[in-house]
Amino acid sequence: MTQEGTRKGNTGPVSGDDPAHPSNLFNFELDEFQLDAIRCLQEGKSVVVCAPTGAGKTVIAEYAVEMALMQNKRCFYTTPLKALSNQKLYDFKMKFGEDRVGLLTGDISINRDASIVVMTTEVFRNMLYGTILGEVGKNLRDVAYVVLDECHYMNDSERGTVWEESIIYAPTDVQLVALSATVANADELTTWIDETHGATELVVSNFRPVPLRFHYFGDQRIYPLLNPGGGVNTLLKNRFGKRKKPDKFQKRRPGGHNIGTHPADVLAVLSARNMLPAIYFLFSRRGCEESMKRARGIPLVSDEEAQQLRAAVDEFTTANPNLKNHPHIPYLYEGMAVHHAGMLPSWKGMVEKLFQKGLLKAVFATETLAAGINMPARSTVISSLTKRADDGHRFLTASEFLQMSGRAGRRGMDEVGHVVVLHSSFESCEDAAKLATASADPLSSRFTPSYGMVLNLLERHTLDDARDLIERSFGQFKTNHELEPLYEARMRLEAELQTLQGPLCPGEIGDLGLYAKRLGAIRSKHKQLKHMEKGLRPQKKIAKGKGGEPVIVTSQVPGADEGEIALESMRGGISELLREAYAMPCHGCPVQKPCSKQTSRIEQLERRIKEIGRRLEKETGKYWRTFVALTDILRLQGYLDGDKPSKLGHMAACIRGTNELFLTEVAVNGLFNHLRPWELAAVFTALVQEEGRGNQDLQRVRLSHGVESTLEDVGRLARKIKRLQKDFDIDIPVEFNPQFSPLTEMWAQGATWEQIRHVSSFDEGDVVRSFRRTLDLCRQYIRAEGMSDHVVNLCRDVETLINRDEVKEVF
């Protein structure tokens, strides 16, 4: 299979005379873009690889691993998700041997000194925080390559900064392999890495080994979405027309899934056309559940597959007895399942394995699956082109549509992948065609200075070094490039100003500005004089004479004498100003008019140059100003001693969270001292929990008095920190949410999962995630330098109470 690939730089052949030749490492022919990327690595450069999902980017990462092994070096492989890390750990163990592969997460360490170590990108970033700039230290000893998988996660609003920090802080002698889905500004990303980290090349491929075919489903039929020559299928335009505008009586079903298209009809048509297995994307958990239930009854699996399914499900439920009565088991037997973040991790793991084996024919999933583990299908169904946002519904972005579409087509199994968009009265087929042919969105910067960043950088670097690092961010890089027209404009204005600096005066050099001020003062005083003279004029009015005839009576203004004195004084002042002006060289000068124009232009140029300077200073220094404001707060609170972390600062540097200052202040202010372990667990949950999807009022369990009292103290502390941050114009969230805390307290007191399920209205996956976040914070406090023995011992008890059954991660 041939493939089009492009790379900046040398594209000559890779020598086959050494063990590193691809033909000696892979038993299949590599595509052109893969060979291009390998050439970059052999030349000692870092590489950015942008290619569609399923194109084979992993081969390049595996080559970096092979090179590390041949050089007796190490390779770190980073992923955005623990699930991806677990999958990559399994894959690498199968390929390279169990003793050569390790895993690091925030709380699990398996063979950490192995030649190949898989980890989340956050773990890698945290390692770099423990390393002096330009050195590898113990953490990165012998590491020659670092793979940044799913590098397009830089766009993630909450976590994107981690990728930027990892690239900024990585030692320059480490070769980076950045693997990304297609993005619009890959060249910009590559230039930034080249300038920030070291020599970096870009390899781009738009070729898909399994091409995509786009369809439109309406009236229980499938139509081609696009004309052969491009654009929306004319038949669709005529048949389905334009989208309607929903009025107040036409509401979408929650989650935006399509009410008019029955999922059973969709699956029946896909099955008849041999287009299964399929991932059926919806944008709400409820939509996934309802669609699966509505699709039941469609024969999707053969008798043999049904037997295999039953055996696999029985084996799973035997190993996980608490799931024997899971309400979705009957649907599994029919070859369909739901996959979303609200499902139990163990259940999702089983669904993934069954789908990868080809036993499940339809998985109803939210878009999180599009960015998650490797689960390609023959077809993807996109139920809606819009999704709910904070301010209503919005259309999918091009990258969101591409991510979901990219799940279609299995290399080596399918000749073509199918993307099926469902008809909706509120979304036109033209909208679908535009998304199907749109270019990917560009990467933006999410770089955000934090308390943890300040403390970790100042622990090992000077303030000047820290500023250099901060100003290397992708955000600052983009800002600088966006400001280039302003820099150029300022240079042009300064050059023009330089040419206007010389005087035009033929004789004695005058000051036209001062001359103009004198004339302005004369005009102003002359106006005042006229006004005063008018006010001092005798007032005339018509009155009746003795015989009744009209007569004109003149009366003097009160204080007229004093007024006349003031008028004389003002006239004298004007005369003096006139004498001064007449004596100036500018008076009567033959070049006064052009000189006036020049002076006016000079003032205009100087004013514009100052305006540009203020804007440049504001834009180019915004990240550093935030950093400095954070240092001021930390210094005020005792976390910095000068420009170095204090004992308290060392403790806070060990904490990772949205607001490390808040999490540390809670721990050191004695709020935990009176709590029992299960009560402390509930408080930890409030400190790390986001808002859940269930209804807390439906829960039949309440917090203990000790927890409620402590959370009131936490609230007062939070308000204090918010006020402090406001004084320094810092807007880092200071939040806590006790929504899941009653469940944590109950779990820590020994409740079974069945008991938790019985009293909770939340999705089980959300509950597990809440407990695991609680566990993660607990372990951070245990490892925090200088944490009191009492708190550490309490946290160890909390860890023991929580880390069991569904909460305990299995590798």
Side-chain angles (χ1 to χ4, degrees), residues 472-505:
R472 289 191 209 173
S473 71
F474 187 49
Q476 192 63 67
F477 172 84
K478 285 173 66 68
T479 297
N480 291 344
H481 279 260
E482 290 166 2
L483 293 175
E484 280 182 3
L486 273 182
Y487 282 109
E488 293 170 0
R490 184 169 69 172
M491 289 177 63
R492 288 194 302 270
L493 295 175
E494 288 172 340
E496 182 184 351
L497 182 62
Q498 190 69 27
T499 64
L500 298 177
Q501 294 296 344
L504 298 176
C505 304

Side-chain angles (χ1 to χ4, degrees), residues 539-663:
Q539 296 179 0
K540 297 180 179 181
K541 61 181 181 179
I542 299 175
K544 289 183 179 181
K546 293 180 179 179
E549 72 283 3
V551 295
I552 297 175
V553 179
T554 301
S555 60
Q556 294 294 325
V557 176
D561 294 340
E562 293 83 354
E564 284 295 335
I565 295 172
L567 282 175
E568 285 301 319
S569 175
M570 182 168 288
R571 292 189 188 101
I574 292 173
S575 297
E576 182 63 29
L577 288 173
L578 282 170
R579 280 193 296 273
E580 290 181 16
Y582 293 161
M584 289 182 175
C586 296
H587 183 68
C589 178
V591 294
Q592 186 185 112
K593 189 172 182 179
C595 189
S596 176
K597 289 183 177 179
Q598 175 176 298
T599 302
S600 177
R601 179 60 178 163
I602 288 173
E603 292 174 352
Q604 185 183 33
L605 289 173
E606 289 176 340
R607 186 167 55 252
R608 179 65 180 140
I609 289 169
K610 285 182 180 178
E611 289 173 357
I612 292 176
R614 284 194 293 269
R615 182 176 171 190
L616 289 174
E617 183 181 0
K618 179 182 178 182
E619 293 296 328
T620 56
K622 61 181 179 180
Y623 296 114
W624 179 244
R625 284 195 299 274
T626 300
F627 190 94
V628 170
L630 292 173
T631 63
D632 291 340
I633 292 174
L634 290 169
R635 212 174 275 118
L636 188 64
Q637 294 297 106
Y639 287 77
L640 285 177
D641 184 4
D643 292 333
K644 290 295 178 184
S646 62
K647 184 178 179 181
L648 201 56
H650 287 302
M651 180 190 299
C654 300
I655 305 298
R656 302 282 180 266
T658 303
N659 193 313
E660 297 88 351
L661 174 64
F662 175 51
L663 293 176

